[in-house]
């Protein structure tokens, strides 16, 4: 069993065979940095719990394609803030399947949005001058239809 | 829409944006260039362009179909339409593609063999088109011989040469080492002497030529003259006609043959000898490759089969594949089990023609079976079939059956790419 410490002090126990789905943890174990417990300063407790939920399910139900598909669909039904926390955690922990799943979810959520809506969601400032923006829109006019 | 309230304000790393953007369809991706300068730079970055092009879902069976419009009535915005493009995707959806107006010029309506598709970009003469971004770029005419007087001086031109011309041939390739599209330009300057023979027929003999090889890296906007460390094959210096070409794994293979001289009768079939001129883009090296024996000197179709150059001839039920290994280049031949029905002429038909028109690198060959009715006034009917090399099965391609007066080409495995052209 491997012990993981989140940034806010929560501890989680998980089987090594399950934990190695995270390439980051896998390398830490191989490099012998995992004697007592593995500190994960970039992931908070709530998010780490969710990530563990994912890797546990994917370890135990490995061959059940249908079951995993419906699990994944339910798994990503969270608010966008939490989704991004999971993305960042999956990126840091290097769990490809989880990263692909969550990023695909975000992609599907934004693909039909307008530029203004995207800016609102991501809280992005428009740093183009009106002329620059007009030129870009003109260049790819068909993409705005 | 509520902004995402994130607990810590760590900026989202570029890697994450790449992971999200690569999963978007092309339309929103291009639209989101307007979101901010940061997003614009990520979307235009070659890292994303490469990742986007190499998406697993991209290497499917998207078919790009080009149909030559032969009817006078077909117009677009009041102008006569010469080319129609359709996309048939792997899910069986059939969509009309918007074609840039320039490709509707009559100039682009001939010579089916000269349209090529390389890693998502379509090339014809001096136009490169990206069907995904709907952008087009004109390659400027090249004249590396701008100082004509110097050229004349160096070549010691004989008196009597009273005209000269410059022509360029362009070929699109993909340099696999730096993952960029490159354009090869073989430019020649011919000096001619016009003579009147006894029959009062004007002959225009090419007296001397100069050849220049240049390569453009798409997006870099500058042509680089290649200085070859290897001797250039002499065929490069003679006038040749390019029948067709294809670009595989960083090598441009051109099927060339000597041109028919003006006013001379076309050579007999058996005299025609095509040769393969190969250009390795990364090493900037030309090489001549011999045709396989048995192909009879003429090539009708070239393509990429699992990374290997493949040749086909209309009448033969075989394909020739080029294997390059330590012993040098050698050809293997594979027999095709094509339906007998294609080769038996029905009483109601004048004739049937079977033409290979497309090759999917994964191992599918596209054939056009064209039927001509006894009544000359009736249109010909074409059906496109796909032959699977592994299973040796043939099936019709949906939407492409019994088409009237079809003249065109198929590009299997069209790849979507957001590659900027300038």
């Amino acid at each position: 069993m491997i012990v993981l410490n989140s940034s806010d002090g929560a501890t989680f126990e998980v089987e090594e065979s399950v934990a190695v789905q995270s390439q980051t943890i896998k390398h830490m174990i191989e490099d012998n940095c995992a004697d007592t417990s593995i500190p994960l300063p970039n992931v908070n407790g709530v998010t780490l719990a969710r990530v563990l939920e994912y890797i546990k399910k994917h370890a135990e139900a490995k061959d059940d394609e249908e079951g995993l598909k419906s699990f994944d669909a339910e798994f990503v039904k969270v608010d966008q803030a939490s989704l991004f926390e999971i993305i960042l955690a999956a990126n840091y922990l290097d769990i490809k399947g989880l990263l692909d799943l969550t990023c695909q979810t975000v992609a599907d959520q934004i693909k039909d949005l307008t530029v203004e809506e995207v800016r609102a969601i991501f809280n992005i400032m428009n740093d183009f001058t009106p002329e620059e923006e007009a030129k870009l829109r003109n260049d790819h006019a068909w993409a705005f239809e | 829409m509520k902004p995402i309230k994130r607990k810590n304000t760590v900026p989202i790393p570029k890697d994450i944006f790449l992971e999200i953007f690569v999963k978007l369809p092309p339309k929103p991706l291009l639209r989101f260039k307007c979101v901010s300068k940061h997003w614009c730079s990520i979307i235009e970055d070659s890292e994303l362009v490469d990742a986007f092009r190499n998406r697993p879902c991209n290497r499917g069976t998207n078919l790009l179909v080009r149909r030559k419009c032969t009817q006078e009535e077909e117009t677009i915005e009041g102008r006569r339409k010469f080319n129609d493009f359709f996309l048939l995707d792997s899910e069986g959806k059939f969509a009309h593609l918007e074609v840039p107006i320039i490709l509707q010029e009559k100039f682009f309506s001939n010579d089916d063999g000269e349209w090529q598709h390389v890693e998502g970009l379509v090339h014809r003469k001096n136009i490169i088109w990206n069907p995904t971004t709907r952008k087009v770029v004109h390659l400027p005419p090249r004249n590396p011989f701008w100082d004509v007087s110097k050229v004349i001086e160096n070549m010691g031109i004989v008196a009597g040469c009273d005209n000269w011309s410059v022509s360029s041939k362009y070929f699109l390739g993909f340099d696999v080492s730096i993952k960029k599209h490159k354009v090869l330009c073989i430019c020649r300057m011919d000096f001619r002497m016009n003579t009147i023979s006894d029959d009062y027929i004007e002959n225009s003999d090419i007296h001397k030529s100069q050849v220049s090889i240049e390569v453009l890296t798409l997006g870099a906007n500058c042509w680089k003259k290649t200085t070859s460390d290897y001797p250039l094959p002499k065929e490069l210096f003679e006038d040749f006609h390019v029948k067709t070409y294809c670009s595989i794994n960083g090598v441009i293979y051109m099927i060339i043959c000597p041109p028919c001289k003006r006013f001379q009768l076309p050579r007999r079939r058996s005299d025609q000898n095509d040769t393969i001129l190969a250009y390795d883009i990364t090493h900037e090296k030309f090489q001549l490759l011999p045709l396989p024996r048995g192909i009879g000197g003429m090539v009708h179709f070239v393509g990429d089969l699992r990374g290997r150059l493949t040749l086909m001839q209309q009448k033969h039920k075989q394909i020739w594949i080029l294997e390059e290994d330590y012993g040098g280049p050698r050809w293997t031949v594979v027999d095709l089990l094509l339906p007998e029905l294609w080769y038996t002429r029905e009483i109601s038909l004048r004739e049937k023609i079977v033409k290979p028109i497309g090759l999917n690198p994964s191992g599918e060959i596209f054939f056009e079976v064209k039927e001509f009715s006894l009544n000359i006034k009736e249109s010909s009917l074409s059906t496109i079939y796909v032959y699977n090399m592994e299973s040796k099965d043939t099936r019709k391609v949906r939407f492409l059956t019994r088409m009237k007066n079809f003249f065109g080409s198929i590009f299997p495995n069209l790849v979507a790419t957001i590659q900027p052209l300038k």
Side-chain angles (χ1 to χ4, degrees):
Chain A
M1 288 296 260
I2 298 284
V3 177
L4 306 169
N5 284 328
S6 73
S7 60
D8 44 4
T11 35
F12 298 86
E13 263 196 358
V14 68
E15 301 256 355
E16 185 176 321
S17 56
V18 170
V20 294
Q21 277 180 64
S22 152
Q23 294 295 312
T24 310
I25 295 179
K26 180 165 182 251
H27 293 318
M28 281 189 194
I29 296 175
E30 285 169 358
D31 293 344
N32 278 325
C33 309
D35 308 340
T36 46
S37 60
I38 300 183
L40 300 171
N42 292 3
V43 190
N44 65 32
V46 172
T47 312
L48 187 53
R50 296 235 68 200
V51 171
L52 290 177
E53 206 186 304
Y54 175 91
I55 59 177
K56 275 184 189 155
K57 179 71 180 183
H58 275 250
E60 64 188 52
K62 236 189 330 191
D63 301 316
D64 178 13
E65 236 189 89
E66 281 298 319
L68 282 182
K69 255 174 123 172
S70 51
F71 171 82
D72 286 350
E74 285 302 312
F75 185 81
V76 291
K77 284 186 182 162
V78 291
D79 61 285
Q80 282 188 326
S82 307
L83 192 58
F84 268 94
E85 294 299 325
I86 300 175
I87 290 180
L88 289 169
N91 187 41
Y92 169 66
L93 292 170
D94 198 355
I95 307 171
K96 186 160 180 3
L98 182 56
L99 189 60
D100 280 345
L101 170 68
T102 44
C103 287
Q104 182 69 61
T105 307
V106 174
D108 292 338
Q109 284 173 355
I110 66 173
K111 70 177 189 227
D112 291 323
L113 299 181
T114 63
V115 171
E116 291 76 16
E117 289 167 334
V118 167
R119 283 189 193 133
I121 295 191
F122 287 86
N123 218 3
I124 297 178
M125 277 284 295
N126 177 9
D127 51 356
F128 283 117
T129 67
E131 294 84 27
E132 287 170 338
E133 188 173 340
K135 181 169 186 298
L136 266 178
R137 280 182 187 252
N138 217 13
D139 247 0
H140 301 287
W142 66 276
F144 291 85
E145 284 159 24
Chain B
M1 289 233 138
K2 273 172 61 182
I4 306 173
K5 284 200 169 55
R6 292 185 33 230
K7 299 208 173 84
N8 49 354
T9 47
V10 171
I12 302 175
K14 183 182 167 196
D15 281 350
I16 304 264
F17 278 121
L18 285 177
E19 290 287 340
I20 298 175
F21 290 165
V22 84
K23 294 168 169 66
L24 282 171
K27 194 167 163 179
L29 192 53
L30 293 171
R31 188 166 67 232
F32 294 159
K33 274 198 200 182
C34 284
V35 167
S36 71
K37 287 187 179 171
H38 182 218
W39 277 43
C40 189
S41 73
I42 300 179
I43 296 173
E44 289 183 340
D45 191 54
S46 57
E47 208 180 328
L48 180 64
V49 172
D50 281 342
F52 189 88
R53 195 184 47 240
N54 290 322
R55 290 179 310 179
C57 63
N58 219 2
R59 302 271 156 188
T61 48
N62 288 325
L63 276 185
L64 177 66
V65 181
R66 180 186 73 91
R67 184 181 71 91
K68 201 152 86 172
C69 303
T70 48
Q71 311 290 10
E72 292 284 340
E73 311 88 56
E74 296 194 63
T75 57
I76 182 163
E77 290 173 13
R79 295 172 69 158
R80 166 90 196 269
K81 192 158 80 153
F82 283 98
N83 288 299
D84 229 356
F85 283 87
F86 304 90
L87 190 64
L88 182 56
D89 70 20
S90 36
E91 292 155 23
K93 285 205 307 265
F94 194 69
H96 231 102
L97 277 187
E98 204 184 277
V99 185
I101 294 286
I102 182 70
L103 291 177
Q104 296 297 0
E105 296 293 322
K106 184 152 201 245
F107 183 57
F108 292 99
S109 69
N110 300 323
D111 296 331
D112 304 314
E114 289 190 27
W115 289 84
Q116 294 300 331
H117 158 248
V118 179
E119 291 290 326
L121 300 185
V122 177
H123 165 241
R124 172 74 174 112
K125 290 209 191 227
N126 73 326
I127 298 279
I128 297 184
W129 171 43
N130 183 336
T132 313
T133 60
R134 306 191 191 184
K135 294 240 162 250
V136 145
V137 73
H138 294 56
L139 298 168
R142 301 298 303 156
N143 186 1
F145 314 104
W146 53 274
D147 194 353
V148 182
S149 50
K150 244 270 153 32
V151 176
I152 294 177
E153 202 182 291
N154 289 338
M155 287 174 61
I157 306 289
V158 162
C161 273
D162 56 356
N163 68 76
W164 52 269
S165 60
V166 178
S167 66
S168 317
K169 293 188 175 36
Y170 300 97
F171 305 93
L172 180 63
F174 189 74
D175 188 338
V176 288
S177 61
I178 60 170
K179 306 238 178 49
K180 290 220 184 300
H181 284 91
K182 283 189 170 165
V183 179
L184 168 71
C185 177
I186 301 179
C187 197
R188 16 174 345 108
M189 182 178 230
D190 295 312
F191 287 86
R192 288 185 171 81
M193 201 171 345
N194 276 334
T195 58
I196 308 273
S197 74
D198 288 339
D199 301 320
Y200 297 99
I201 295 173
E202 197 181 293
N203 275 333
S204 197
D205 281 328
I206 294 178
H207 181 68
K208 269 205 172 164
S209 325
Q210 183 123 35
V211 169
S212 159
I213 316 288
E214 292 181 301
V215 174
L216 169 77
T217 305
L218 216 53
N221 211 27
C222 89
W223 290 88
K224 183 183 146 206
K225 200 151 181 172
T226 55
T227 45
S228 192
D229 294 326
Y230 309 92
L232 297 173
K234 67 165 176 41
E235 277 77 0
L236 208 51
F237 297 92
E238 287 154 20
D239 197 14
F240 58 81
H241 169 64
V242 180
K243 276 180 142 174
T244 183
Y245 81 94
C246 73
S247 177
I248 303 172
N249 273 343
V251 181
I252 299 177
Y253 296 97
M254 299 160 266
I255 308 292
I256 64 173
C257 64
C260 294
K261 285 197 176 166
R262 209 154 55 122
F263 303 125
Q264 239 181 28
L265 286 172
R267 296 173 171 208
R268 284 201 311 264
R269 277 221 139 133
S270 55
D271 282 346
Q272 276 211 317
N273 264 309
D274 296 341
T275 326
I276 306 175
L277 180 62
Y279 180 69
D280 183 328
I281 302 175
T282 313
H283 302 105
E284 297 184 348
K285 181 181 169 193
F286 276 99
Q287 194 190 359
L288 277 182
L289 295 170
L291 283 188
R293 275 173 297 153
I295 204 169
M298 265 177 62
V299 177
H300 285 124
F301 181 81
V302 288
D304 173 356
L305 186 69
R306 298 194 186 98
R308 287 167 179 55
L309 176 67
T310 306
L311 305 181
M312 283 203 268
Q313 231 219 42
Q314 213 156 289
K315 294 251 155 67
H316 297 186
K317 294 196 234 178
Q318 295 168 307
I319 57 168
W320 283 266
I321 307 174
L322 180 68
E323 304 280 355
E324 303 215 54
D325 43 34
Y326 297 111
R330 61 182 175 84
W331 294 95
T332 55
V333 62
V334 175
D335 289 319
L336 304 174
L337 282 175
L338 300 176
E340 276 309 312
L341 206 58
W342 291 359
Y343 297 92
T344 51
R345 179 146 69 99
E346 293 151 46
I347 306 172
S348 61
L349 295 178
R350 201 164 81 231
E351 63 179 310
K352 262 193 218 176
I353 290 182
V354 176
K355 249 172 65 171
I357 62 169
L359 182 56
N360 190 339
S362 64
E364 291 179 325
I365 311 179
F366 290 82
F367 287 95
E368 177 193 349
V369 178
K370 207 184 196 87
E371 299 171 347
F372 292 91
S373 84
L374 288 172
N375 181 350
I376 297 186
K377 291 205 188 119
E378 263 177 44
S379 339
S380 64
L381 285 178
S382 298
T383 299
I384 310 291
Y385 293 85
V386 58
Y387 172 84
N388 185 314
M389 292 211 41
E390 219 175 284
S391 64
K392 306 203 193 335
D393 281 335
T394 313
R395 58 174 172 85
K396 293 187 189 174
V397 177
R398 249 176 95 200
F399 298 113
L400 300 178
T401 54
R402 301 183 72 74
M403 298 177 290
K404 286 192 185 171
N405 287 335
F406 176 82
F407 290 91
S409 19
I410 298 243
F411 305 100
N413 199 36
L414 177 77
V415 174
T417 177
I418 51 170
Q419 171 80 44
L421 292 179
K422 300 207 176 112

